[in-house]
Amino acid sequence: MEFQAMSDNYSTPDQMVEAYNEVTSDLAFAQTHYPNSPITNYLNDLALGLHHNLYRNKRTSWSSFVRFWTHDIPLCVYQSRKALLLSLLIFVTTIIVGIVSTYGDPEFPRLILGDAYIDMTLENIDNGEPMAVYGGDSQLLSFLGITVNNVMVSFMIFVMGIFTSIGTGYYLMNNGVMVGAFVTFFIQRGLFVDSILAIMLHGTLELSAIVIAGGAGITMGNGWLFPGTYSRMRSFLIAARRGVKVLISTVPLFIVAGFIEGFFTRYTHAGDLLRLFVILISLVFIIFYYVLLPIKRHREEGHGA
């Protein structure tokens, strides 16, 4: 049947739904202007067939959930790969700016991080506990506060894409400069290894998630700036939908990063090998889920290399 052949051309539920919406839109037009035309009957049969096929093949909630995380999101990540790469380049470049600025002006971290934070950290360094800032609150409150704050930051970075991708880029630059100044502040005091192990214990996931949220925002912003053959609004909606899926993927990263920071980063005397192991595991996951798996899913869709 025609609808079955048409359905076979779409490999994801989203694509099939889009095809159904296009057919029903054409059907509405035909029913209005050509109610007795054979083409109207044809479109009606096609719409009914697609509707039946969609619901007949409807997956269980669990299988849909698994597919969303293992197929839909990786495909959206692949489609957003240029925006994600741009986000990474902006973030890394501005980290370097923060590093160079701090070396050029030792007071630069005060401008970025604030006098209160710098004075507190200097006091902690004098007391032999340079990373004591991570052990201030209770573990549970620290975990909840950090996670909520990080999710809000990523959401803000993404939402700024509504005002074109330039808004997202601005927030990425702010965060990058802050990270560069923060790390260099410790390096200048001979605390490179201690600071990197403490910061990247949770920061591998946290900073990666910020870059990914930035890529999601740039994706949405570019949909408005570069509509291509679509209308500007349709291009924006398609890009926003893709960006939202990429953004959703960062929530578990922030939760795990918040858990690590709230419950483990505070133990700055933990073995270096253990902390390095957690950092490497986090990095391997990021590379697998956001680089290797998207490429694999793209090839499985029949698009080749």
Side-chain angles (χ1 to χ4, degrees):
M1 296 179 66
E2 290 90 343
F3 75 83
Q4 185 63 50
M6 187 176 183
S7 298
D8 290 341
N9 291 327
Y10 298 95
S11 55
T12 69
D14 285 346
Q15 291 174 327
M16 193 174 294
V17 169
E18 185 173 351
Y20 174 73
N21 289 337
E22 291 176 355
V23 169
T24 53
S25 177
D26 292 340
L27 174 62
F29 180 86
Q31 287 175 331
T32 300
H33 298 280
Y34 311 102
N36 299 317
S37 170
I39 192 65
T40 302
N41 294 329
Y42 170 78
L43 288 172
N44 184 63
D45 291 341
L46 195 60
L48 289 174
L50 279 170
H51 182 273
H52 173 73
N53 204 44
L54 275 170
Y55 282 86
R56 178 169 58 85
N57 293 323
K58 188 176 181 180
R59 296 177 174 82
T60 64
S61 297
W62 174 248
S63 63
S64 297
F65 177 81
V66 172
R67 180 178 178 83
F68 177 76
W69 287 97
T70 61
H71 289 77
D72 295 354
I73 287 180
L75 281 173
C76 285
V77 168
Y78 185 87
Q79 293 164 348
S80 305
R81 62 194 183 281
K82 293 181 180 178
L84 288 164
L85 180 58
L86 177 59
S87 177
L88 178 61
L89 290 175
I90 292 172
F91 196 65
V92 171
T93 299
T94 50
I95 286 176
I96 296 173
V97 170
I99 292 172
V100 172
S101 298
T102 303
Y103 274 115
D105 180 7
E107 295 300 310
F108 183 74
R110 289 186 177 274
L111 178 65
I112 300 299
L113 302 171
D115 289 332
Y117 183 84
I118 294 298
D119 291 338
M120 176 190 66
T121 304
L122 288 172
E123 182 179 348
N124 290 336
I125 292 174
D126 291 338
N127 293 332
E129 295 289 344
M131 298 293 128
V133 64
Y134 293 113
D137 299 324
S138 70
Q139 291 175 320
L140 180 59
L141 289 178
S142 180
F143 161 59
L144 294 175
I146 291 165
T147 301
V148 171
N149 177 72
N150 287 339
V151 170
M152 291 303 296
V153 168
S154 70
F155 181 76
M156 181 60 69
I157 291 174
F158 172 74
V159 166
M160 289 304 293
I162 292 177
F163 306 102
T164 76
S165 47
I166 297 172
T168 294
Y170 173 76
Y171 267 80
L172 278 171
M173 288 190 290
N174 280 348
N175 281 271
V177 170
M178 186 181 299
V179 171
F182 182 74
V183 171
T184 308
F185 174 80
F186 288 102
I187 292 175
Q188 289 177 324
R189 286 154 182 82
L191 297 167
F192 174 73
V193 174
D194 289 341
S195 63
I196 290 297
L197 288 177
I199 295 167
M200 297 309 294
L201 186 62
H202 60 273
T204 303
L205 294 178
E206 182 180 304
L207 298 180
S208 296
I210 288 175
V211 170
I212 294 162
I218 292 173
T219 294
M220 180 168 65
N222 284 351
W224 179 260
L225 287 175
F226 310 109
T229 57
Y230 293 108
S231 68
R232 195 172 298 277
M233 181 55 67
R234 179 166 175 77
S235 174
F236 174 76
L237 292 175
I238 292 173
R241 184 177 185 180
R242 183 182 301 158
V244 165
K245 288 184 178 181
V246 175
L247 180 69
I248 288 173
S249 75
T250 66
V251 175
L253 299 182
F254 281 124
I255 292 174
V256 175
F259 182 83
I260 293 173
E261 185 173 354
F263 286 89
F264 297 109
T265 303
R266 65 181 59 231
Y267 299 114
T268 55
H269 298 295
D272 290 350
L273 288 178
L274 176 60
R275 292 191 288 177
L276 183 60
F277 176 75
V278 173
I279 292 171
L280 291 176
I281 288 295
S282 300
L283 182 60
V284 167
F285 173 78
I286 293 296
I287 293 174
F288 168 75
Y289 192 77
Y290 289 98
V291 180
L292 301 181
L293 186 59
I295 293 174
K296 182 175 185 293
R297 294 299 183 228
H298 173 72
R299 290 175 176 172
E300 290 173 349
E301 289 294 304
H303 300 293

